[in-house]
Amino acid sequence: DSGVTQTPKHLITATGQRVTLRCSPRSGDLSVYWYQQSLDQGLQFLIHYYNGEERAKGNILERFSAQQFPDLHSELNLSSLELGDSALYFCASSLRTSGSTDTQYFGPGTRLTVL
Amino acid sequence: AQSVTQLGSHVSVSEGALVLLRCNYSSSVPPYLFWYVQYPNQGLQLLLKYTTGATLVKGINGFEAEFKKSETSFHLTKPSAHMSDAAEYFCAVGSTGGFKTIFGAGTRLFVKA
């Protein structure tokens, strides 16, 4: 158990809909990262927040947005969903601001299925 | 810019055989190198990490990796494979001052009885 929690575990929705994925980092960790994992694209970095502020952006679509709240939990919002958004979405956390040198602790993921 | 290449998307070994998963990186600054493992239906977890200093890094579950600057490689090895090692393995690179870790495409390890 990494100490990172994600809810829900599974989400099934329809095209065009909007969903919110939630992540609680390990106790004491200030950084949160979001990743998308699919069979065709592999593991893709989406976005990194540190202590409430956005630090780095990866291949995140404009239809997707994220935020980190004062209690350090984070939410990833996916809107106007398409079939191709079906994937596993992972949240990871680390202690410091540097996403590049820190060990990241991954949650169990949310499996999103868009029908 | 940094990049990671994992050679072989699938590797199959027999139980008890040597495991060798290959990773080459590209970095214009001293790299931090990671190996993560993902078991079925789980998130990634750290196997081992190279920062500076000793080039042979020991990790969990009997895995180790050697940093070879001249070859820009960080291959992962284990002397004797167990069935429980079957998983996907990701090599990753970062650096001081960088904001994101770059992950390789992953290598799926199959272990045959």
Side-chain angles (χ1 to χ4, degrees):
Chain A
D1 184 352
S2 67
V4 178
T5 60
Q6 290 187 250
T7 56
K9 270 182 98 81
H10 302 275
L11 200 46
I12 301 175
T13 188
T15 53
Q17 294 298 304
R18 183 179 192 276
V19 297
T20 297
L21 312 184
R22 184 187 166 104
C23 168
S24 293
R26 287 188 327 154
S27 176
D29 283 357
L30 299 177
S31 274
V32 168
Y33 314 82
W34 285 98
Y35 292 88
Q36 179 195 59
Q37 186 179 40
S38 61
L39 280 174
D40 53 341
Q41 300 263 11
L43 189 67
Q44 297 284 318
F45 167 72
L46 296 178
I47 199 162
H48 167 205
Y49 276 84
Y50 172 75
N51 205 19
E53 291 190 10
E54 183 185 303
R55 297 294 287 186
K57 254 184 175 173
N59 302 323
I60 189 165
L61 300 171
E62 283 191 18
R63 301 183 285 109
F64 295 2
S65 64
Q67 55 184 333
Q68 186 180 27
F69 294 87
D71 68 352
L72 300 176
H73 91 272
S74 178
E75 293 181 356
L76 179 67
N77 300 296
L78 315 176
S79 61
S80 303
L81 284 167
E82 302 174 359
L83 295 177
D85 298 328
S86 295
L88 257 175
Y89 290 84
F90 286 108
C91 165
S93 74
S94 73
L95 180 60
R96 296 176 300 228
T97 181
S98 172
S100 188
T101 59
D102 267 3
T103 296
Q104 294 181 31
Y105 296 88
F106 283 75
T110 293
R111 183 172 292 283
L112 173 66
T113 303
V114 182
L115 301 175
Chain B
Q2 294 180 312
S3 66
V4 173
T5 302
Q6 290 185 240
L7 299 171
S9 58
H10 296 86
V11 169
S12 182
V13 300
S14 297
E15 196 173 18
L18 171 72
V19 175
L20 170 61
L21 304 182
R22 299 176 189 273
C23 171
N24 287 89
Y25 70 92
S26 170
S27 179
S28 56
V29 296
Y32 283 61
L33 294 160
F34 307 80
W35 276 100
Y36 285 86
V37 61
Q38 184 181 24
Y39 297 105
N41 301 313
Q42 293 185 30
L44 282 69
Q45 64 182 89
L46 183 73
L47 267 182
L48 50 81
K49 174 181 177 179
Y50 169 79
T51 55
T52 58
T55 56
L56 184 62
V57 182
K58 293 190 184 299
I60 61 171
N61 302 337
F63 284 93
E64 62 183 36
E66 187 171 10
F67 170 61
K68 291 188 177 180
K69 186 178 176 182
S70 60
E71 298 177 9
T72 60
S73 69
F74 191 58
H75 302 331
L76 182 71
T77 59
K78 181 174 181 178
S80 176
H82 290 183
M83 298 296 289
S84 60
D85 295 327
E88 187 147 24
Y89 292 80
F90 292 88
C91 181
V93 64
S95 63
T96 304
F99 285 103
K100 53 182 181 177
T101 306
I102 309 298
F103 284 84
T107 297
R108 186 166 292 278
L109 176 67
F110 297 92
V111 182
K112 300 174 291 189

